[in-house]
Amino acid sequence: MDSRTKLELNEKAIEAAKRSLDDGAVTPSYGPWRDDIVKLLNDALATELVCVLRYKRHYFTAHGIASPRIAEEFLEHANAEAGHADRIAERIVQLGGEPDFSPDHLSQRSHAEYDESKDLRDMLRSNLIAERVAVETYRQMIELIGDKDPTTRRLLEEVLNDEEEHADELKDLLDE
């Protein structure tokens, strides 16, 4: 086999991309994984939204001598998680899916749990657990997606990086 054939584009796939214009960026080469990826993304969306709610609650209810600084960290994380949710919802739409923002479905699909702790250390611990769960689920999603959807994989890698930073920040606050 000539080494040039390894680097040639698939002309059939290019021709197929010229049809089904209503699918936007989703070409036939996305294959059978698109629906599975949309489901994974909707679960991630639910997780991010539950995290926003948990962080917001903790932001508003944190009390104690260290609470102003920690509450500000909770607010920063809530805003970051909301940004993740927006990016994930946008990707779901790009893939031809519908982002599920239904409050009735959030806790059912979320990998993280909502928390109503009143103690500052318990709040930190709950958020650290949620960030570690997010890290693990994003790592698994990235592995599952592999090369099936490089755009989604890159998005999830960026979110994973943020989640790892959040976990490190929370761990540092717990250690103080």
Side-chain angles (χ1 to χ4, degrees), residues 77 128 131 162-175:
H77 288 201
L128 178 56
E131 293 294 353
D162 290 348
E163 303 296 4
E164 289 174 340
E165 287 178 13
H166 293 171
D168 285 342
E169 292 164 355
L170 292 166
K171 173 69 170 94
D172 290 345
L173 288 169
L174 260 176
D175 288 344

Side-chain angles (χ1 to χ4, degrees), residues 116-135:
E116 295 182 354
S117 295
K118 293 182 180 24
D119 176 77
L120 204 53
R121 288 194 64 74
D122 290 342
M123 290 177 188
L124 285 166
R125 184 171 163 67
S126 169
N127 287 315
L128 178 56
I129 290 168
E131 293 294 353
R132 289 175 50 84
V133 166
V135 165

Side-chain angles (χ1 to χ4, degrees), residues 75-115:
L75 182 59
E76 284 179 32
H77 288 201
N79 292 335
E81 306 298 355
H84 297 161
D86 290 348
R87 293 178 66 202
I88 290 167
E90 180 180 35
R91 184 63 185 151
I92 291 168
V93 171
Q94 288 172 343
L95 291 171
E98 291 191 23
D100 186 350
F101 284 92
S102 170
D104 294 338
H105 301 158
L106 292 181
S107 63
Q108 297 166 8
R109 291 188 349 266
S110 174
H111 300 289
E113 295 178 14
Y114 184 75
D115 177 75

